[in-house]
Amino acid sequence: MSTLVSVAEPQADEPPRTVRGRAARARALSRQLAMALLTILLISFISFFALNHSADQLGKNVLGRQASRAQLDAFAASRGLDRPLIVQYLDWLWHFVRGDWGTNLAGTQPVKPLVLPAFAHTSELAVITLVWSVPIAIAVGVAVARRGGPIDRGLFVVMTVLAALPEFVVGLTVMIALAVQLRWFPVASNAIGLGTPAEQVKAFVLPSLTLGVGVVPYIWRITRASVLESLSAPYTRAAVLRGLRRHRVIWRHAFRSAAVPLVNAIAINIIYLMGGVIIVENVFAVPGLGRLLLAAIAQGDSHTALAIIVLLGAVFVILGLLADVVVTYLNPRLRGSAR
């Protein structure tokens, strides 16, 4: 009897399945975090050397074309530009991770107070665009999740055309129609962060509408395809055979499976909104990262441009990591495969 009991008892050194699963997910998350940090480091390394200009060129940009050799040498020594590039990069990286992002090219203003307000305006524009465009795209995608039919074909054509339109074309169109002709909104959105609350709300409308025209077709297409695929699954067909109404089957059964690709689609569109606002911000004069980045590159202000690029790269990597974590949580089959 004692022998049987000892055989039936679990081994002390064998952890339960749930503990092993949690440990595997923790290891997978640790690897993802390490890869994310390595990617950000690589972005900073490549960007630093890509944006690097010669000390003489930077000196002439600040002091003028008529600067003497002695003035250029003194400028390079004061900025530390006479050191090897790898030493400059390590010094910049050490200060950057500690929160010291350096000064602009002329050395008159710190970079951080320049970049963070612009990042806040760009983030506000992205969030506002997502708040109205994603629900509309999901609702329309679910409502017309049918194969064939005039409505489905018509919407497919409209969404394809909207997705193919460049941002500057959409921006100029809505500007002429809503700002110049109807005068509902201001032509320029430079009141963001400066004007009254009503003026700031109006300043967001046209750039947000321009960006949303590119977001809605992508989310709509992913939603429609995912819901159609879920409706053809055996469990949704069984729900229909049990007499459940179509809208209840879609929202309570099919949409849950469609949520997994939607998370990735929304994450990709957030990245698009954060990185693709450069044209839109310049069309509408939005004081965001896109406009600041172009100005910094045009002026040869490598410190400001580098801070913006690394900040955007970190946002992209973090959003991708969060999307992977959410998708793993929503899909139970991926939890067991995380090793």
Side-chain angles (χ1 to χ4, degrees):
M1 179 67 67
S2 60
T3 305
L4 292 177
V5 172
S6 63
V7 172
E9 290 178 351
Q11 298 294 326
D13 58 348
E14 182 181 353
R17 181 175 300 178
T18 55
V19 175
R20 290 200 301 270
R22 291 174 183 173
R25 289 195 295 272
R27 289 194 299 270
L29 181 59
S30 300
R31 287 195 298 268
Q32 288 177 316
L33 286 173
M35 289 300 299
L37 292 176
L38 182 61
T39 303
I40 296 173
L41 184 64
L42 187 61
I43 290 173
S44 69
F45 182 82
I46 295 175
S47 302
F48 184 89
F49 285 90
L51 292 172
N52 177 72
H53 297 279
S54 66
D56 289 349
Q57 181 64 41
L58 292 176
K60 290 178 181 179
N61 288 341
V62 175
L63 304 176
R65 296 292 176 181
Q66 305 301 323
S68 65
R69 169 51 52 187
Q71 291 175 323
L72 293 176
D73 292 341
F75 174 83
S78 65
R79 298 291 194 277
L81 301 176
D82 53 347
R83 299 173 298 171
L85 282 179
I86 188 63
V87 176
Q88 295 182 41
Y89 168 73
L90 293 176
D91 181 65
W92 171 86
L93 182 64
W94 171 249
H95 286 86
F96 187 85
V97 297
R98 296 174 61 190
D100 180 11
W101 294 2
T103 58
N104 60 353
L105 179 63
T108 58
Q109 188 173 3
V111 170
K112 201 171 185 179
L114 283 174
V115 173
L116 291 184
F119 176 73
H121 296 153
T122 299
S123 301
E124 290 171 354
L125 180 58
V127 170
I128 291 173
T129 303
L130 287 173
V131 165
W132 70 264
S133 62
V134 171
I136 290 177
I138 292 176
V140 176
V142 171
V144 299
R146 301 175 184 272
R147 296 189 184 277
I151 297 179
D152 184 58
R153 288 194 293 268
L155 269 176
F156 188 84
V157 172
V158 171
M159 294 297 180
T160 302
V161 172
L162 291 179
L165 291 176
E167 289 90 349
F168 73 91
V169 173
V170 179
L172 292 176
T173 301
V174 298
M175 180 188 295
I176 294 172
L178 302 180
V180 177
Q181 298 294 334
L182 298 178
R183 298 183 180 181
W184 289 351
F185 305 102
V187 174
S189 299
N190 49 11
I192 294 176
L194 298 175
T196 64
E199 290 174 341
Q200 293 191 43
V201 170
K202 288 184 177 180
F204 276 113
V205 173
L206 294 186
S208 177
L209 182 61
T210 303
L211 291 170
V213 168
V215 173
V216 170
Y218 185 81
I219 300 293
W220 172 82
R221 186 168 62 250
I222 298 296
T223 303
R224 176 183 174 275
S226 301
V227 171
L228 282 175
E229 183 179 358
S230 299
L231 287 175
S232 61
Y235 66 92
T236 53
R237 291 181 178 179
V240 173
L241 292 176
R242 289 199 304 268
L244 295 179
R245 295 183 178 180
R246 177 181 172 83
H247 73 275
R248 188 174 182 183
V249 172
I250 291 177
W251 289 108
R252 295 195 60 179
H253 298 280
F255 187 71
R256 291 184 180 180
S257 298
V260 174
L262 272 177
V263 170
N264 283 325
I266 293 173
I268 291 173
N269 276 274
I270 295 176
I271 293 174
Y272 154 74
L273 290 174
M274 295 298 296
V277 296
I278 296 177
I279 297 176
V280 175
E281 287 184 353
N282 281 273
V283 169
F284 293 101
V286 178
L289 283 181
R291 197 177 180 198
L292 182 62
L293 178 60
L294 286 184
I297 294 176
Q299 298 169 5
D301 188 357
S302 57
H303 277 186
T304 302
L306 185 60
I308 295 173
I309 292 173
V310 173
L311 181 60
L312 286 176
V315 171
F316 297 166
V317 172
I318 292 172
L319 288 174
L321 179 61
L322 291 177
D324 290 341
V325 172
V326 173
V327 167
T328 304
Y329 175 78
L330 291 176
N331 193 344
R333 291 175 294 181
L334 297 178
R335 301 180 197 175
S337 61
R339 293 290 187 274

